[in-house]
Amino acid sequence: MATTSNMFLYSLTVQPPSAITQAILGQFAGTKEQQIVTASGSRITIYRPDAAQGKITAILTHDVFGIVRTMAVFRLAGSNKDYIIVGSDSGRITIIEYVAAQNKFNRLHLETFGKSGIRRVIPGQYLAVDPKGRACMIASVEKNKLVYVLNRNAQAELTISSPLEAHRPHTLVFSVVALDVGYENPTFAALEVEYEEADQDPTGQAFEQIGKSLVYYELDLGLNHVIRKWSDDVERTAAILFQVPGGADGPSGVLVCGDDNITYRHSSQDPLRVAIPRRQGATQDPQRKRHIVAGVMHKMRGAFFFLLQSEDGDLFKVTLEIAEDADGQMVGDVKLLKIKYFDTVPVASSLCILKSGFLFVASETGNHHFYQFEKLGDDDEEAEFSSDLFPVDPTEPFTPVFFHARPAENVNLVEVIESMNPLMGCKVANLTEDDAPQIYTICGAGARSTFRTLRNGLEVSEIVESELPGVPSAVWTTKLTRNDEYDAYIVLSFTNGTLVLSIGETVEEVTETGFLSSAPTLAVQQLGEDGLIQVHPKGIRHIRADRRVNEWPAPQHRSIVAATTNERQVAVALSSGEIVYFEMDTDGSLAEYDEKREMSGTVTCLSLGEVPEGRVRSPFLAVGCDDSTVRILSLDPDSTLESKSVQALTSAPSALCIMAMADSSSGGLTCYLHIGLYSGVYLRTVLDEITGELSDTRTRFLGPKPAKLFRVSVKGQTAVLALSSKPWLGYTDAQTKAFMLTPLNYVGLEWGWNFSSEQCAEGMVGIQEQSLRIFSIEKLNTNLLQESISLPYTPRNFVRHPDQPLFYVTSADNGVLSPATQSRLLEDSAAVNGDATVLPADEFGYPRGNGHWASCIQVVDPVAAKAVLQRIDLEGNETAVSLAAVSFSSQDDETFLVVGTAKDFVVSPRSATCGFIYVYRFQEDGKELEFIHKTRMDEPPHALLGFQGRLLVGIGRNLRIYDLGMKQLLRKSQAADVVKTFIIDLQTQGSRIVVSDVAHGVTLVVYKFQENRLIPFVDDTTHRWMTCATMVDYETVAGGDKFGNLWLLRCPAKVSEEADEDGSGAHLVHERQYLQGTSNRLEVMCHYYPQDLPTSIQKTALVAGGRDILLWTGLQGTVGLLVPFVGRDDVDFFQTLEQHLRTEDPPLAGRDHLAYRSYYMPVKGVIDGDLCERYPLLPADKKQMIAGELDRSVREIERKISDMRTRVAY
């Protein structure tokens, strides 16, 4: 297969995956404060918890271009910094450190031990580190274990030894943990099963008797080899181990967690066992056994405890009672193992307890939670169960113990990190009539499911909104003296006057300020040490600290039309086109420069930069004229008001702003000229601080109104507030140092300015019609805003109403009792003492029951009501499997909602009693659904689609067309055995249908209307396990599969024409089959491995005026794009850049980038934009070297990379 293509796509990530597979805790910066490091797909993120504010913020995300399988934290004895060991799919063990000064991860060691990819016998699945940081064990699922000795050399650098083998054939490993043995030889514990006998016994008897054992492996540091030290049988259901503190802190050993029990085991002591308490309640199954899915051990001074979590989300506090001698010192033997209910939190993949008293819960599904401990659950009424009550022998029966779940008492939720995992589906639509469309998604699982609206924007928190006596035209804030920390006045300009408000506990009008109140104001500035400037159309007022006023009147018959100021300079433009320039004298007065500079046209705007540190003046003045030009004038005493450079624009400039901002190209601060045009276009161009030349211009369309620009301060950095039809903020991304321009989620403002007071140190003040608004921006780390609407069960499918801004969602959960069953159980039970209390499902989940389904259909309004408007529960153990909005020609093209269901559905092996198709009519403009009828099917209909005024249904391997009858659906046509397994998705254009098979890829079918026949005519070369598909054009299909691949397939032109020929299609039916399929095959155009499992894909445009792209979403919460290249030049440029980056910036975890993107098939026709976007993060010398190879400047390359994103997305 040729890996070249005549079609090329550029892959970008709009939102990285948010599912956390593992979280670890440590002091990675080398300071006292702890950080949390998480793994999400191929990304490693480090979070900084803020104990004072109870917040947690991401400070760095690094894409390792490999699958992170496991991570562990270790520290060498005597050091104060923690390192991270990463086990990935690269077949190498990686040790990285976090360098706080540069805010980046640095790789220290990369040791190869096996093949790449995720394989049973290649280590990387389990990782355990000796608590004293002397050795680590990396193990595979089967057979192989390697131990590395960690040490430091004479230069105090970390060293790693050659691997020591601890292999054992025919052995499966379930869990590995390091024992805490103090400073004795490092020991590792593993849960293992030997399957050799079971493998060779065809009767299956040996498998029934197979046992699981707990094995200790000891690393003899003297002899430098690993021995199998101790082994003992444990219960067969045991699945997870937890380390018990040893040495001076505790008795050592492990907790072994299995079904319904937790056992303390150690080589030198008899086991102790407690049962896992079960929930009590009328709707709970008393026989259901719980098991532990996650846990954490926390050490305090002289004590320790475990928090272990069951699959319901219940946390249990487990403690050990240790025998003591007469002096109160621990002897080492454990007397009792105790367990008690602690609290309920979402089911976690990892739990971390911080020393500052917080609990981080990395949820398996839905948002991640950050809790604060209120207390440790020692003094509550909760019953505690100890190992005295339970037999040690796992085969002996015992009486189960129960507890009542209750709202959390010991932990308090302080922060939520938004996560869209699992993301089940997505639609892009512009329902709010905005400039850009919104992304509507269904995500989450169980009772924590949500319907989320994503839009590009920054969250704004409004502090004040107050009505004003008139409609102001502008607003400023000013300090009284240079050294003031906060602003003192708000100055409002009206068409006929000026209003001054003082800022304090309250905002009130003041009069004795020296400001001229009878005229509108053009500019306000705190000048010099303690002066104030007011520029009005007839002159300039300079107000001294002692309220003396110096007035500079405008020349006769002329007025001031534009003004700009900084703390030492003032420049004004007169209506005659002249520019008058003032500078502050040594005595604090304003001195006018002798000559006026005449411009060729009327001046529309001016800008002076801030005075640079250690200088007396800003070196340049920018002048915008109505002849669509911007000129840079020098303010140097030797060449005052001389023109340095000029830039032609597409429209007259409406605003200018010179300011210095952080820049990825130079690595420091760069001076920029920001330009706003009357056409609503924003330009940012680099202003050379020595020559005044303008270069590297970047443009962005903001909206139809003229753009106004203001310098503001956000999160300690200088930013630009740009106002058009809506407000935008231009700021520097903290990690990449790239310039971001993001709309604010706020009302359209006419004018804005910086605002600083005691209550709000970094805010902004703006005016909107007749109201004054003060607001601030809290977060700059995400430019996608999420609005959530809760859903009752895991959403499976959704569809949009054809005309109204409404969505219809089908949700279903397996193994969950339906509302009808729950209410019946509550009625039947003679509930006593709290058994009848129904717990809120979003915190505690639903009562479980094998073989049960809970499913419903909901009407969701994400725009007006922002809520679920109607919910229809399905009864009779049915579950919704598909839905579509279909307009039937026989009903005057009225649209109906059609829902496919399965009765008594078993997922694996797949079976169902039967299927039904329900038809609903839209009432109240779609806000209500009215049931019409249901039609029974032999199998569940997994795919529905409106097709030429009728309903197209995929049932099993067959394709059918139905029309709407009075009592049920009427079958009109059928094609049998269109696919090999069963149909899961249908797409159509014209009379062509794209049929997706769950395991055999795509088949194209043509419908011959005269003959009423459905004929398959082309199918796929590869067995693709389809998850989603869409038609890109009439002959091209894009899709994704369950192994995480994205691809584009095209039907050969000749085959496509033949299929659409008039006539009966007999030539298609009688063509010879090729390899048990149709007679023709689809061609692969593009193929790419993005690493997340695609759940939806569609062709759409994301920004106003942007071109069409393919937007796909992944199960772990990823939102990605595939952008088509227009010209071959760009393709060649990015291909070369990608090749250079592969060698100059190799992936952190040691995976080969090209092999990673070609996991299942060679990457074809797709360039990895995520890799290209690492270019700005490279060291300056590497950037320069690559730029030299590409024969471009660094700025030019960075501009091309940023343009690829900003033209089509955000």
Side-chain angles (χ1 to χ4, degrees), residues 865-927:
K866 298 192 176 174
V868 175
L869 302 179
Q870 187 189 9
R871 170 176 165 177
I872 300 168
D873 281 294
L874 297 178
E875 292 172 1
N877 207 29
E878 285 181 47
T879 173
V881 291
S882 56
L883 90 161
V886 182
S887 72
F888 287 97
S889 307
S890 57
Q891 305 289 321
D892 302 331
D893 287 337
E894 187 187 345
T895 304
F896 293 83
L897 186 72
V898 183
V899 180
T901 69
K903 185 172 172 64
D904 304 328
F905 188 43
V906 179
V907 180
S908 178
R910 189 177 295 273
S911 70
T913 314
C914 63
F916 293 97
I917 295 181
Y918 287 71
V919 179
Y920 294 92
R921 177 176 265 125
F922 294 129
Q923 301 285 12
E924 307 278 332
D925 285 339
K927 289 177 183 168

Coordinates of all heavy atoms in Angstrom, one line a residue, residues 865-927:
A865 N -34.2 27.2 28.1 CA -34.4 26.7 29.5 C -33.2 26.1 30.1 O -33.0 26.1 31.4 CB -35.5 25.7 29.5
K866 N -32.2 25.7 29.3 CA -31.0 25.0 29.8 C -31.3 23.9 30.8 O -30.8 23.8 31.9 CB -30.0 26.0 30.4 CG -29.6 27.1 29.4 CD -28.4 27.9 29.9 CE -28.0 28.8 28.7 NZ -27.0 29.8 29.0
A867 N -32.3 23.0 30.3 CA -32.7 22.0 31.2 C -33.4 20.9 30.4 O -33.6 21.0 29.2 CB -33.8 22.5 32.2
V868 N -33.7 19.7 31.0 CA -34.4 18.7 30.4 C -35.9 19.0 30.5 O -36.4 19.2 31.6 CB -34.1 17.3 31.1 CG1 -35.0 16.2 30.5 CG2 -32.6 16.9 30.9
L869 N -36.6 19.1 29.3 CA -38.0 19.5 29.3 C -38.9 18.4 29.5 O -40.0 18.6 30.1 CB -38.3 20.2 28.0 CG -37.4 21.4 27.6 CD1 -37.9 22.0 26.2 CD2 -37.5 22.5 28.6
Q870 N -38.6 17.2 29.0 CA -39.5 16.0 29.2 C -38.6 14.8 29.2 O -37.6 14.7 28.6 CB -40.4 15.9 28.0 CG -41.5 14.9 28.1 CD -42.3 14.6 26.9 OE1 -42.0 15.1 25.8 NE2 -43.4 13.9 26.9
R871 N -39.1 13.8 30.0 CA -38.4 12.6 30.2 C -39.4 11.4 30.0 O -40.4 11.4 30.7 CB -37.7 12.5 31.5 CG -37.1 11.1 31.8 CD -36.4 11.1 33.1 NE -36.2 9.7 33.6 CZ -35.5 9.5 34.7 NH1 -34.9 10.4 35.4 NH2 -35.3 8.2 35.1
I872 N -39.1 10.5 29.1 CA -40.0 9.3 28.9 C -39.2 8.1 29.2 O -38.2 7.8 28.6 CB -40.5 9.3 27.4 CG1 -41.3 10.5 27.0 CG2 -41.3 8.0 27.2 CD1 -41.5 10.7 25.6
D873 N -39.6 7.4 30.3 CA -38.9 6.2 30.7 C -39.4 5.0 29.9 O -40.6 4.9 29.7 CB -39.1 5.9 32.2 CG -38.2 6.8 33.1 OD1 -36.9 6.6 33.0 OD2 -38.7 7.7 33.8
L874 N -38.5 4.1 29.5 CA -38.9 2.9 28.8 C -39.2 1.8 29.8 O -38.4 1.7 30.8 CB -37.8 2.5 27.8 CG -37.5 3.5 26.7 CD1 -36.3 2.9 25.8 CD2 -38.7 3.7 25.8
E875 N -40.2 1.0 29.6 CA -40.6 0.0 30.5 C -40.4 -1.4 29.9 O -40.1 -1.5 28.7 CB -42.0 0.2 31.0 CG -42.1 1.5 31.8 CD -43.6 1.8 32.1 OE1 -44.5 1.1 31.7 OE2 -43.8 2.8 32.8
G876 N -40.6 -2.4 30.7 CA -40.5 -3.8 30.1 C -39.1 -4.2 29.8 O -38.8 -5.0 28.9
N877 N -38.1 -3.7 30.6 CA -36.7 -4.0 30.5 C -36.2 -3.7 29.0 O -35.4 -4.5 28.5 CB -36.4 -5.4 30.9 CG -34.9 -5.6 31.3 OD1 -34.3 -4.7 31.8 ND2 -34.4 -6.8 31.1
E878 N -36.7 -2.7 28.4 CA -36.2 -2.3 27.1 C -35.1 -1.2 27.2 O -35.1 -0.4 28.2 CB -37.4 -1.7 26.3 CG -38.3 -2.7 25.8 CD -39.5 -2.1 25.0 OE1 -39.1 -1.2 24.1 OE2 -40.6 -2.4 25.2
T879 N -34.2 -1.2 26.3 CA -33.2 -0.1 26.2 C -33.1 0.5 24.9 O -33.2 -0.2 23.9 CB -31.8 -0.7 26.6 OG1 -30.8 0.2 26.4 CG2 -31.5 -1.9 25.8
A880 N -33.0 1.8 24.8 CA -32.9 2.5 23.5 C -31.6 2.3 22.9 O -30.5 2.5 23.6 CB -33.1 4.0 23.8
V881 N -31.5 1.9 21.6 CA -30.3 1.6 21.0 C -30.0 2.5 19.8 O -28.9 2.7 19.3 CB -30.2 0.1 20.5 CG1 -30.1 -0.8 21.6 CG2 -31.3 -0.2 19.6
S882 N -31.0 3.2 19.3 CA -30.8 4.1 18.2 C -32.0 5.1 18.1 O -33.0 4.9 18.7 CB -30.8 3.3 16.8 OG -32.0 2.6 16.7
L883 N -31.7 6.3 17.4 CA -32.8 7.2 17.2 C -32.5 8.1 16.0 O -31.4 8.2 15.6 CB -33.1 8.1 18.5 CG -32.4 9.4 18.6 CD1 -33.2 10.2 19.6 CD2 -31.0 9.2 19.1
A884 N -33.6 8.7 15.4 CA -33.5 9.5 14.3 C -34.7 10.4 14.2 O -35.8 10.1 14.6 CB -33.3 8.7 13.0
A885 N -34.5 11.6 13.6 CA -35.7 12.5 13.3 C -35.9 12.3 11.8 O -35.1 12.6 11.0 CB -35.3 13.9 13.6
V886 N -37.1 11.8 11.5 CA -37.4 11.4 10.1 C -38.6 12.2 9.6 O -39.7 12.2 10.3 CB -37.7 9.9 10.0 CG1 -37.9 9.4 8.6 CG2 -36.5 9.1 10.6
S887 N -38.5 12.8 8.4 CA -39.8 13.4 7.8 C -40.3 12.4 6.8 O -39.6 11.9 5.9 CB -39.4 14.7 7.1 OG -38.7 14.5 6.0
F888 N -41.6 12.0 6.9 CA -42.3 11.1 6.0 C -43.0 11.8 5.0 O -43.9 12.6 5.2 CB -43.2 10.2 6.9 CG -42.5 9.2 7.7 CD1 -42.3 9.5 9.1 CD2 -42.0 8.0 7.2 CE1 -41.6 8.5 9.9 CE2 -41.4 7.1 8.0 CZ -41.2 7.3 9.3
S889 N -42.8 11.4 3.7 CA -43.5 12.0 2.6 C -45.0 11.7 2.6 O -45.8 12.6 2.3 CB -43.0 11.5 1.2 OG -41.6 11.6 1.2
S890 N -45.3 10.6 3.1 CA -46.7 10.2 3.2 C -47.5 11.0 4.2 O -48.7 11.0 4.2 CB -46.8 8.7 3.5 OG -46.2 8.5 4.8
Q891 N -46.8 11.7 5.1 CA -47.5 12.6 6.1 C -47.2 14.0 5.8 O -47.0 14.8 6.8 CB -46.9 12.2 7.5 CG -47.1 10.7 7.9 CD -48.5 10.3 8.1 OE1 -49.3 11.1 8.7 NE2 -48.9 9.1 7.7
D892 N -47.2 14.4 4.6 CA -47.0 15.8 4.2 C -45.6 16.3 4.7 O -45.5 17.5 5.2 CB -48.1 16.8 4.7 CG -49.4 16.3 4.1 OD1 -49.4 15.7 3.0 OD2 -50.5 16.6 4.8
D893 N -44.6 15.5 4.7 CA -43.3 15.8 5.1 C -43.2 16.3 6.6 O -42.3 17.0 7.0 CB -42.7 17.0 4.2 CG -42.3 16.4 2.9 OD1 -42.1 15.2 2.8 OD2 -42.2 17.2 1.9
E894 N -44.1 15.8 7.4 CA -44.0 16.1 8.8 C -42.9 15.2 9.4 O -42.7 14.1 9.1 CB -45.4 15.7 9.5 CG -45.4 16.2 11.0 CD -46.6 15.7 11.8 OE1 -47.6 15.2 11.1 OE2 -46.6 15.7 13.0
T895 N -42.1 15.9 10.4 CA -41.0 15.2 11.0 C -41.5 14.4 12.3 O -42.2 15.0 13.1 CB -39.9 16.2 11.3 OG1 -39.5 16.9 10.1 CG2 -38.7 15.4 11.8
F896 N -41.0 13.2 12.4 CA -41.3 12.4 13.6 C -40.0 12.0 14.2 O -39.0 11.9 13.6 CB -42.1 11.1 13.2 CG -43.5 11.4 12.7 CD1 -43.7 11.8 11.4 CD2 -44.6 11.3 13.6 CE1 -45.0 12.1 10.9 CE2 -45.9 11.6 13.1 CZ -46.1 12.0 11.8
L897 N -40.1 11.7 15.5 CA -38.9 11.1 16.2 C -39.1 9.6 16.3 O -40.1 9.1 16.7 CB -38.8 11.7 17.7 CG -37.5 11.2 18.4 CD1 -36.3 12.0 17.8 CD2 -37.6 11.5 19.9
V898 N -38.1 8.9 15.8 CA -38.1 7.4 15.7 C -37.0 6.9 16.6 O -35.9 7.3 16.5 CB -37.9 6.9 14.2 CG1 -38.1 5.4 14.1 CG2 -38.9 7.6 13.3
V899 N -37.4 6.0 17.5 CA -36.5 5.4 18.5 C -36.5 3.9 18.4 O -37.5 3.3 18.4 CB -36.9 5.8 19.9 CG1 -35.9 5.2 20.9 CG2 -36.9 7.3 20.1
G900 N -35.3 3.3 18.2 CA -35.2 1.9 18.2 C -34.8 1.3 19.6 O -33.9 1.9 20.2
T901 N -35.4 0.2 20.0 CA -35.1 -0.3 21.3 C -34.8 -1.8 21.2 O -35.2 -2.5 20.2 CB -36.3 -0.1 22.3 OG1 -37.4 -0.9 21.9 CG2 -36.7 1.4 22.4
A902 N -34.2 -2.3 22.3 CA -34.0 -3.8 22.4 C -34.5 -4.3 23.7 O -34.4 -3.6 24.7 CB -32.5 -4.1 22.4
K903 N -35.2 -5.4 23.7 CA -35.8 -6.0 24.9 C -34.8 -7.1 25.5 O -34.3 -7.9 24.8 CB -37.1 -6.5 24.6 CG -37.9 -7.0 25.9 CD -39.3 -7.4 25.5 CE -40.0 -8.0 26.7 NZ -40.2 -7.2 27.9
D904 N -34.6 -7.0 26.8 CA -33.8 -8.0 27.5 C -32.4 -8.1 26.8 O -31.9 -9.2 26.5 CB -34.4 -9.4 27.6 CG -35.8 -9.3 28.2 OD1 -35.9 -8.5 29.1 OD2 -36.7 -10.1 27.9
F905 N -31.8 -7.0 26.6 CA -30.5 -7.0 25.8 C -29.4 -7.4 26.6 O -29.2 -7.0 27.8 CB -30.3 -5.5 25.4 CG -29.2 -5.3 24.4 CD1 -29.0 -6.1 23.3 CD2 -28.3 -4.2 24.5 CE1 -28.0 -5.9 22.4 CE2 -27.3 -4.0 23.6 CZ -27.1 -4.9 22.6
V906 N -28.6 -8.4 26.1 CA -27.3 -8.9 26.7 C -26.2 -8.4 25.8 O -26.2 -8.7 24.6 CB -27.3 -10.4 26.9 CG1 -26.0 -10.8 27.5 CG2 -28.5 -10.8 27.7
V907 N -25.2 -7.7 26.4 CA -24.2 -7.1 25.6 C -23.2 -8.1 25.1 O -22.8 -8.1 23.9 CB -23.4 -6.0 26.5 CG1 -22.3 -5.4 25.6 CG2 -24.4 -5.0 27.0
S908 N -22.8 -9.1 26.0 CA -21.8 -10.1 25.5 C -22.1 -11.4 26.2 O -22.2 -11.4 27.5 CB -20.4 -9.6 25.9 OG -19.5 -10.6 25.5
P909 N -22.3 -12.5 25.5 CA -22.5 -12.6 24.0 C -23.8 -11.9 23.6 O -24.8 -12.1 24.3 CB -22.5 -14.1 23.7 CG -23.0 -14.7 25.0 CD -22.5 -13.8 26.1
R910 N -23.8 -11.1 22.5 CA -24.9 -10.2 22.1 C -26.1 -11.0 21.9 O -26.1 -11.9 21.0 CB -24.5 -9.5 20.9 CG -25.4 -8.3 20.5 CD -24.9 -7.6 19.3 NE -23.6 -6.9 19.6 CZ -23.5 -5.7 20.1 NH1 -24.7 -5.0 20.3 NH2 -22.4 -5.1 20.3
S911 N -27.2 -10.7 22.6 CA -28.5 -11.3 22.3 C -29.6 -10.4 22.8 O -29.4 -9.5 23.7 CB -28.6 -12.7 23.0 OG -28.7 -12.5 24.4
A912 N -30.8 -10.6 22.3 CA -32.0 -9.8 22.8 C -33.2 -10.6 22.4 O -33.2 -11.4 21.4 CB -32.0 -8.4 22.1
T913 N -34.3 -10.5 23.3 CA -35.5 -11.2 23.0 C -36.1 -10.7 21.6 O -36.5 -11.5 20.8 CB -36.5 -10.9 24.1 OG1 -35.9 -11.1 25.3 CG2 -37.7 -11.9 24.0
C914 N -36.2 -9.4 21.5 CA -36.7 -8.8 20.2 C -36.3 -7.3 20.2 O -35.7 -6.8 21.2 CB -38.2 -9.0 20.1 SG -39.1 -8.1 21.4
G915 N -36.8 -6.6 19.2 CA -36.6 -5.2 19.1 C -37.9 -4.5 18.8 O -38.8 -5.1 18.4
F916 N -37.9 -3.2 19.1 CA -39.1 -2.4 18.8 C -38.7 -1.1 18.1 O -37.5 -0.6 18.4 CB -39.9 -2.0 20.0 CG -40.6 -3.2 20.7 CD1 -40.0 -3.8 21.8 CD2 -41.8 -3.7 20.2 CE1 -40.5 -4.9 22.4 CE2 -42.4 -4.8 20.8 CZ -41.8 -5.4 21.9
I917 N -39.5 -0.5 17.3 CA -39.3 0.9 16.8 C -40.5 1.7 17.2 O -41.7 1.4 16.9 CB -39.2 0.9 15.3 CG1 -37.9 0.1 14.8 CG2 -39.1 2.3 14.8 CD1 -37.7 0.2 13.3
Y918 N -40.2 2.7 18.1 CA -41.3 3.6 18.6 C -41.3 4.8 17.7 O -40.3 5.3 17.2 CB -40.9 4.1 20.0 CG -41.1 3.1 21.1 CD1 -40.2 2.0 21.2 CD2 -42.1 3.2 22.0 CE1 -40.3 1.1 22.2 CE2 -42.2 2.3 23.1 CZ -41.4 1.2 23.2 OH -41.5 0.3 24.2
V919 N -42.5 5.4 17.5 CA -42.6 6.6 16.7 C -43.3 7.6 17.6 O -44.4 7.3 18.2 CB -43.5 6.4 15.4 CG1 -43.6 7.7 14.6 CG2 -42.8 5.3 14.5
Y920 N -42.7 8.8 17.6 CA -43.3 9.9 18.4 C -43.5 11.1 17.5 O -42.7 11.4 16.6 CB -42.3 10.3 19.6 CG -42.1 9.3 20.6 CD1 -41.0 8.4 20.5 CD2 -42.9 9.2 21.7 CE1 -40.8 7.4 21.5 CE2 -42.7 8.3 22.7 CZ -41.6 7.4 22.6 OH -41.4 6.4 23.5
R921 N -44.6 11.9 17.8 CA -44.9 13.1 17.1 C -44.4 14.3 18.0 O -44.6 14.3 19.2 CB -46.4 13.2 16.8 CG -46.8 14.5 16.2 CD -48.3 14.5 15.8 NE -48.5 14.1 14.4 CZ -49.4 13.2 14.0 NH1 -50.0 12.5 15.0 NH2 -49.5 12.8 12.8
F922 N -43.9 15.3 17.3 CA -43.5 16.5 18.0 C -44.7 17.4 18.4 O -45.5 17.7 17.5 CB -42.5 17.3 17.2 CG -41.2 16.7 16.9 CD1 -40.7 16.5 15.7 CD2 -40.4 16.1 18.0 CE1 -39.5 15.9 15.4 CE2 -39.2 15.5 17.8 CZ -38.7 15.4 16.5
Q923 N -44.8 17.8 19.6 CA -45.9 18.7 20.0 C -45.2 20.0 20.6 O -44.0 19.9 21.1 CB -46.8 18.1 21.1 CG -47.5 16.8 20.7 CD -48.6 17.1 19.7 OE1 -48.8 18.2 19.2 NE2 -49.4 16.1 19.4
E924 N -45.9 21.1 20.7 CA -45.4 22.3 21.3 C -44.1 22.7 20.8 O -43.1 23.0 21.5 CB -45.3 22.2 22.9 CG -46.5 21.7 23.6 CD -47.5 22.8 23.9 OE1 -47.0 23.9 24.0 OE2 -48.7 22.5 23.9
D925 N -44.0 22.8 19.4 CA -42.7 23.1 18.8 C -41.6 22.2 19.2 O -40.4 22.6 19.3 CB -42.3 24.6 19.1 CG -43.1 25.6 18.3 OD1 -43.7 25.2 17.3 OD2 -43.2 26.7 18.7
G926 N -41.9 20.9 19.4 CA -40.9 20.0 19.7 C -40.5 19.8 21.1 O -39.7 19.0 21.5
K927 N -41.2 20.6 22.0 CA -40.8 20.5 23.4 C -41.5 19.3 24.1 O -41.1 19.0 25.2 CB -41.3 21.8 24.1 CG -40.4 23.0 23.7 CD -40.9 24.3 24.4 CE -40.0 25.5 23.9 NZ -40.6 26.7 24.2

